[in-house]
Amino acid sequence: MSDYTSDEYRQIANIIIQQLCGGGPRQLVKAIGACEIETLRPGLRFRFPDTATGINTVSIELTPMDFYRMEFGTLKRIDYTRVLVHDGLDSDQLTSVFESATGLTLA
């Protein structure tokens, strides 16, 4: 992936949030109680209350081929366990994959 500035990384993260829930970070917090939203290079990661499957963390990264990779996991204190990974996603698949994996509704 080419080099991006810090502002461009934040812009990518905000675009992902928009594609995921149709709003900004506040909408994500309101819809599912998201917290600890952080920018990745390039993408984002956030936590949310534990779901029935135990999943409470997701990272969404933009790949060099302009697809997305979503990794779902459980984070308890400092112990992280990867639960599920989806590669090669289009932007219009983010919401349905998230809702299917977590049982949470973003709308």
Side-chain angles (χ1 to χ4, degrees):
M1 180 129 270
S2 59
D3 293 323
Y4 290 109
T5 66
S6 295
D7 285 340
E8 289 169 325
Y9 283 126
R10 280 190 291 279
Q11 205 170 25
I12 290 168
N14 284 329
I15 289 168
I16 293 170
I17 292 171
Q18 174 70 33
Q19 292 168 333
L20 187 64
C21 69
R26 288 185 184 177
Q27 176 63 29
L28 194 58
V29 171
K30 183 179 176 184
I32 62 167
C35 62
E36 299 177 30
I37 301 170
E38 58 184 300
T39 301
L40 300 177
R41 295 180 180 224
L44 77 148
R45 175 179 26 241
F46 58 89
R47 294 187 61 195
F48 42 89
D50 289 355
T51 62
T53 60
I55 292 172
N56 64 4
T57 305
V58 66
S59 61
I60 306 169
E61 298 178 39
L62 180 64
T63 69
M65 299 300 291
D66 280 337
F67 290 106
Y68 292 98
R69 177 181 195 274
M70 294 181 83
E71 179 176 310
F72 297 90
T74 59
L75 181 63
K76 302 292 183 194
R77 298 183 193 211
I78 62 170
D79 296 320
Y80 176 79
T81 303
R82 182 179 7 192
V83 175
L84 184 61
V85 175
H86 288 274
D87 286 307
L89 299 171
D90 287 319
S91 61
D92 62 350
Q93 296 175 288
L94 296 178
T95 300
S96 62
V97 170
F98 180 89
E99 291 180 343
S100 175
T102 64
L104 299 173
T105 302
L106 291 165

